[in-house]
Amino acid sequence: MEPKQPFDIDVALSRIEEAVRPFPKAALFELAAEGFNAPFQQLIACIISIRTRDEDTLPIARRLLSRAATPAELLELTSTEIEALIEPSSFRAAKAPQMLAIARRLVDDFDGELPCDGQLMQSFAGVGPKCANLTLGIACGTQRISVDVHVHRVTNRWGYIQAATPEQSMMALESVLPPEHWIDINRLLVPFGKHICTGRAPRCSTCPMLEMCRQVGVTTHR
Ligand code: SF4
């Protein structure tokens, strides 16, 4: 299929802003809006979110962060207690000790605060580029692109980038997406990907992006 040119990302994102208005915010953005916006809180919420549905992530993160909002407070809990608090998050038996190890390091070496340092974040077991970038973007105001399955799928369907994996999409987006959209791309495309440009049978017939989108790889749609 030939590209539909030019692809105006400003127009695209303003259309998507309108389209996702009726839907819940992505979990980490909703938590930040509720006041859980410290780097440590965002990083812990992101760890909870790994392989876990947004609908589950939100109440789990509220439950844990209401009980332990700081590294020092988290260290008052045992791994077993954390595991129980974050049920039904996937891989909670691994996540609980990872969270405790992060809290211990922050209390011992960083005065109990998580600095806005992506390299430090990625040095923690269980933290990859996605969670580091989301934390930097949401809690630190640093312009970073966090690419999850939704951002990866949608931007490739548009034909805006061509990349095989979320990691490759992150690099491709860093070269074409204007920095002012680096945080918003995740905020907007997570609900857009969950409710409109869905993995199976996207809702193309009513999608505000239809005239701009190459629908790359879309074989069936609604
Ligand atoms: S037109 Fe279809 S494939 Fe393109 S963004 Fe909209 S829902 Fe997704």
Side-chain angles (χ1 to χ4, degrees), residues 47-94:
I47 292 170
I48 290 169
S49 79
I50 295 168
R51 300 290 179 103
T52 302
R53 298 182 316 159
D54 252 27
E55 305 84 275
D56 292 327
T57 295
L58 204 47
I60 295 169
R62 283 191 193 115
R63 188 161 63 230
L64 179 62
L65 294 173
S66 299
R67 185 81 182 271
T70 65
E73 288 172 1
L74 194 75
L75 287 179
E76 290 171 13
L77 301 174
T78 65
S79 189
T80 309
E81 287 171 326
I82 294 171
E83 205 179 314
L85 281 165
I86 65 175
E87 192 180 357
S89 177
S90 301
F91 305 118
R92 53 192 172 277

Side-chain angles (χ1 to χ4, degrees), residues 37-194:
N37 55 4
F40 174 73
Q41 296 168 344
Q42 284 287 314
L43 189 68
I44 290 295
C46 193
I47 292 170
I48 290 169
S49 79
I50 295 168
R51 300 290 179 103
T52 302
R53 298 182 316 159
D54 252 27
E55 305 84 275
D56 292 327
T57 295
L58 204 47
I60 295 169
R62 283 191 193 115
R63 188 161 63 230
L64 179 62
L65 294 173
S66 299
R67 185 81 182 271
T70 65
E73 288 172 1
L74 194 75
L75 287 179
E76 290 171 13
L77 301 174
T78 65
S79 189
T80 309
E81 287 171 326
I82 294 171
E83 205 179 314
L85 281 165
I86 65 175
E87 192 180 357
S89 177
S90 301
F91 305 118
R92 53 192 172 277
K95 290 176 179 177
Q98 286 167 352
M99 290 176 187
L100 280 174
I102 292 170
R104 170 52 59 204
R105 178 90 197 280
L106 295 177
V107 166
D108 288 350
D109 298 340
F110 296 95
D111 290 331
E113 298 276 348
L114 175 60
C116 290
D117 178 339
Q119 275 194 333
L120 173 69
M121 292 179 204
Q122 288 195 57
S123 75
F124 299 141
V127 178
K130 181 190 135 186
C131 282
N133 284 354
L134 264 179
T135 301
L136 289 169
I138 299 173
C140 302
T142 309
Q143 295 283 7
R144 299 308 284 262
I145 303 178
S146 176
V147 176
D148 70 349
V149 289
H150 300 294
V151 175
H152 170 63
R153 181 177 66 248
V154 173
T155 51
N156 278 279
R157 277 181 177 168
W158 289 345
Y160 186 54
I161 57 171
Q162 295 85 42
T165 66
E167 291 72 25
Q168 289 174 13
S169 286
M170 183 173 78
M171 288 188 279
L173 285 169
E174 280 177 355
S175 66
V176 295
L177 184 67
E180 65 265 28
H181 297 311
W182 282 20
I183 298 174
D184 274 348
I185 196 91
N186 186 282
R187 178 178 67 82
L188 295 172
L189 294 196
V190 171
F192 184 73
K194 283 176 66 175

Side-chain angles (χ1 to χ4, degrees), residues 190-208:
V190 171
F192 184 73
K194 283 176 66 175
H195 299 284
I196 298 173
C197 192
T198 48
R200 285 189 195 163
R203 297 175 178 274
C204 298
S205 62
T206 53
C207 176

